[in-house]
Amino acid sequence: MTARGSDSAQPARITRVSGPLVQVDGADAAMHDVLELGPHRSPGEVVAVRGPAVTVQAYEYTGGLRPGDAAVPLGRPLAAPLGPWLLGGLFDGLLRPLAGGPVWLTSGSLAAAPAQGTTRRFTPRVAERDTAGPGGILGTVATGGPIEFRVLVPPHVSGTVQQVAGPGEYGPDDVLVTVGTAPVTMTTSWPVRTPRPYTARRAADAPLLTGQRVVDAFFPIAKGGTAAVPGGFGTGKTLLLQQIAKWCDAHVIVYVGCGERGNEMADVVGELSTLEDPRTGGRLLDRTVVIANTSNMPMMAREASIYTGVTVAEFYRDMGYDAVVIADSTSRWAEALREFASRSGTPPAEEGYPADLASALAAFYERAGAVRTLGGGSGSVTIVGAVSPPGGDMTEPVIANTERFVRCRWTLDRDLAYARHYPAVSWSASFSRDTGLVGADYARRGDPGWDARRARALDVLADADRIAALADLVGTGGLPAHERMTLLAGRLLRDGVLRQNALVATDAHCTAVKSAALLDAVLTVCDRCHALVDAGTAPASIEAIDFGPLARARETLGPADAGGVARLRDAVLAQLDATTPGTAA
């Protein structure tokens, strides 16, 4: 990457400081170039150019900066350092390691790149005089974790392999392979606002299994898809996202804590470091990258953090892995945009957000996708973003604009959360546009009835909600027998399928097999109830049956125990068949 400036260039001068906004005169810089500001060389990024003056958003605390301080253009855009140290690490919004940093971050307190000097073992996969193209695998680097780190030919580089280092220990900047005239090391960098290239997008053909029944069975997301999780304060957004990070079947998780509370991020890191990875048996943290930009950290680094996170995910996607980016939350990111826009004098749009909010959201979510990599492999980036609307307003601009660009919406309902129904995902206000391809995938794997079960269950839930409103007026006893059975079916679906306890080991995650068994069992029992009232059985005698064992099967049985669910279903059916027909009550 050619630089327009350098450390030895004549420095420009700061003329104004207003929070994270810094104005600089005399800088030879273009849009999105990085400048180092003041005596601590704090990083900042050019966001506007007006003649000889540029506007910079600073990524560190600007206290102490003053007019007349030097500003040095680096002549390159904001880029993320990428290498084998990422998995298992905790970083700030610019991908600088937080491990070893001070308790309170100050200007210049974090290193610009991971600590150098650590050697890792390199194993080559090519030989001299081989032909190598963009994205090709040149070798692997041992990381001590479950994910193989692959050294790739950089994009736009191709040619004959001129030199290959033998197997052994090498440092981050040691040349491992030379392709044509281009040296390749185990580390690289990439501009965070520029999507990494790929050969072609491919159709998403498999679901991302999250281990959460309400998602996998009702509102699934494909690998390479996008989802928004809107919900007011206290509805369980962070816990749901943590559960997805723990149990989804992606290879790599990138968890971006964007403007959330520091204690929540501490909980995330603590749990990931102690939780056993169900895929490998090691630590879950060993295949996770945590980017922390909490509410008490520099505001504009929050704006860059989500682009940094998706850049890391694309880096592993290009190695042939499925990566998931979890952003908690995009509302705090949008608030950073709004605050900076107000300081820079940008005309406000709806609720004070900048007019380009929709474009910024689109630029983020469009970086998701399932692709054919430059090296010919397959990889994907799935993006799940939480939205925290002020006052629980589900019509505010961030939610309204996000819905235009995502394929799934998992709306968290305040009434469900206050009733202690978790996850509080509303079955009436959520949607998924990936159900068709997910249903086709289940059919290929021997479950052609998945789509019909899902549609039937949603119909039952909608009918139960409608009848519940009527029952509040006339009482359950005043309803026809069939409607009372529909209410019963709705309760069984809510308690036995949709509800999930993250604090119980047997229910924290659920396999697709058990999810299908639970849903099938409840629907089968409900069908038998309707058949019995048709035959003259009193609804009160059916309602008196103990359905508890079936409703509690989600907790009492293991995450994959579909056989146990079938036995409980048969036991309930036997009780129903033993009821005596009589006058409906």
Side-chain angles (χ1 to χ4, degrees):
M1 190 183 305
T2 303
R4 281 176 291 277
S6 66
D7 288 343
S8 61
Q10 179 65 32
R13 295 293 171 183
I14 295 172
T15 59
R16 177 187 173 213
V17 180
S18 176
L21 181 147
V22 179
Q23 287 190 344
V24 177
D25 275 354
D28 179 17
M31 281 290 292
H32 303 307
D33 275 5
V34 175
L35 282 77
E36 292 182 338
L37 307 171
H40 296 295
R41 304 175 72 86
S42 301
E45 182 183 12
V46 175
V47 294
V49 179
R50 298 179 180 89
V54 298
T55 301
V56 177
Q57 60 182 19
Y59 290 126
E60 289 185 349
Y61 177 59
T62 56
L65 279 183
R66 57 186 180 181
D69 281 347
V72 181
L74 300 186
R76 55 174 173 78
L78 180 66
L82 305 170
W85 61 78
L86 290 173
L87 292 180
L90 175 64
F91 306 91
D92 79 337
L94 303 188
L95 214 61
R96 300 177 298 184
L98 291 172
V103 174
W104 300 104
L105 299 182
T106 57
S107 297
S109 61
L110 291 180
Q116 305 299 303
T118 302
T119 61
R120 299 174 187 270
R121 183 166 185 80
F122 170 69
T123 303
R125 288 193 181 179
V126 294
E128 292 182 4
R129 293 187 293 278
D130 284 352
T131 300
I137 299 176
L138 299 174
T140 61
V141 173
T143 63
I147 301 298
E148 179 182 74
F149 184 87
R150 298 162 184 170
V151 179
L152 306 181
V153 180
H156 316 303
V157 172
S158 62
T160 302
V161 176
Q162 301 295 336
Q163 173 266 331
V164 181
E169 300 284 330
Y170 296 92
D173 297 323
D174 292 338
V175 176
L176 303 177
V177 183
T178 302
V179 180
T181 59
V184 180
T185 68
M186 68 178 70
T187 64
T188 185
S189 64
W190 190 263
V192 298
R193 301 185 191 277
T194 302
R196 288 178 64 90
Y198 49 82
T199 299
R201 282 187 181 263
R202 57 181 178 85
D205 56 2
L208 176 75
L209 297 178
T210 66
Q212 308 306 298
R213 282 186 298 273
V214 67
V215 172
D216 295 340
F218 289 86
F219 307 106
I221 182 173
K223 289 181 178 177
T226 52
V229 189
F233 176 77
T235 53
K237 292 185 300 299
T238 297
L239 184 58
L240 176 59
L241 295 178
Q242 289 179 18
Q243 288 297 100
I244 293 173
K246 294 173 187 176
W247 303 111
C248 74
D249 62 347
H251 298 100
V252 173
I253 309 297
V254 183
Y255 195 101
V256 184
C258 182
E260 293 301 297
R261 292 179 292 276
N263 61 333
E264 291 184 350
M265 285 305 306
D267 289 342
V268 170
V269 176
E271 290 192 26
L272 292 176
S273 62
T274 58
L275 193 68
E276 180 178 314
D277 186 353
R279 297 169 64 96
T280 66
R283 295 189 314 161
L284 184 58
L285 189 63
D286 290 338
R287 61 180 179 92
T288 304
V289 180
V290 180
I291 297 175
N293 244 104
T294 54
S295 55
N296 63 337
M297 293 171 71
M299 182 192 67
M300 293 318 300
R302 182 189 313 173
E303 188 272 339
S305 64
I306 63 169
Y307 299 107
T308 300
V310 78
T311 300
V312 171
E314 290 174 339
F315 181 56
Y316 283 97
R317 175 205 69 189
D318 293 347
M319 296 183 196
Y321 296 121
D322 295 316
V324 172
V325 177
I326 296 176
D328 185 14
S329 76
T330 56
S331 291
R332 306 291 178 254
W333 165 80
E335 288 169 5
L337 293 180
R338 179 170 62 185
E339 180 169 338
F340 190 84
S342 67
R343 290 179 181 273
S344 62
T346 302
E350 187 177 3
E351 294 192 18
Y353 289 105
D356 63 350
L357 174 64
S359 299
L361 285 165
F364 172 57
Y365 282 106
E366 73 180 1
R367 292 177 69 168
V371 305
R372 184 70 57 189
T373 66
L374 294 178
S378 296
S380 69
V381 172
T382 305
I383 298 179
V384 180
V387 189
S388 307
D393 179 11
M394 293 296 176
T395 64
E396 59 92 38
V398 179
I399 290 181
N401 285 293
T402 298
E403 283 186 355
R404 299 165 56 188
F405 309 116
V406 297
R407 295 190 58 82
C408 303
R409 167 174 158 157
W410 305 327
T411 303
L412 301 184
D413 184 84
R414 179 176 295 174
D415 292 337
L416 288 176
Y418 288 176
R420 298 192 178 278
H421 177 111
Y422 293 107
V425 176
S426 168
W427 46 86
S428 60
S430 302
F431 66 80
S432 170
R433 299 187 178 104
D434 290 336
T435 54
L437 66 90
V438 170
D441 180 74
Y442 277 109
R444 287 193 297 269
R445 293 190 281 124
D447 185 9
W450 180 87
D451 206 14
R453 274 197 310 272
R454 171 188 176 273
R456 168 87 191 287
L458 287 175
D459 286 343
V460 170
L461 288 166
D463 287 344
D465 287 346
R466 175 182 56 81
I467 295 169
L470 181 60
D472 289 341
L473 296 175
V474 302
T476 303
L479 295 175
H482 271 290
E483 292 190 347
R484 288 171 68 170
M485 294 303 98
T486 300
L487 279 179
L488 174 63
R491 278 200 307 275
L492 285 175
L493 283 172
R494 291 193 300 271
D495 294 340
V497 181
L498 296 178
R499 196 187 294 264
Q500 195 163 352
N501 193 337
L503 304 180
V504 176
T506 52
D507 199 31
H509 72 106
C510 185
T511 63
V513 173
K514 183 181 176 183
S515 291
L518 286 170
L519 193 53
D520 180 72
V522 169
L523 292 176
T524 299
V525 167
C526 295
D527 287 342
R528 186 67 56 86
C529 292
H530 280 285
L532 288 172
V533 296
D534 282 342
T537 300
S541 62
I542 295 175
E543 293 165 344
I545 289 175
D546 182 12
F547 294 96
L550 181 59
R552 293 190 298 271
R554 57 185 179 82
E555 289 189 359
T556 58
L557 300 177
D561 191 359
V565 174
R567 289 190 295 272
L568 290 174
R569 176 202 63 199
D570 293 342
V572 172
L573 291 175
Q575 292 184 64
L576 287 171
D577 291 340
T579 56
T580 303
T583 304

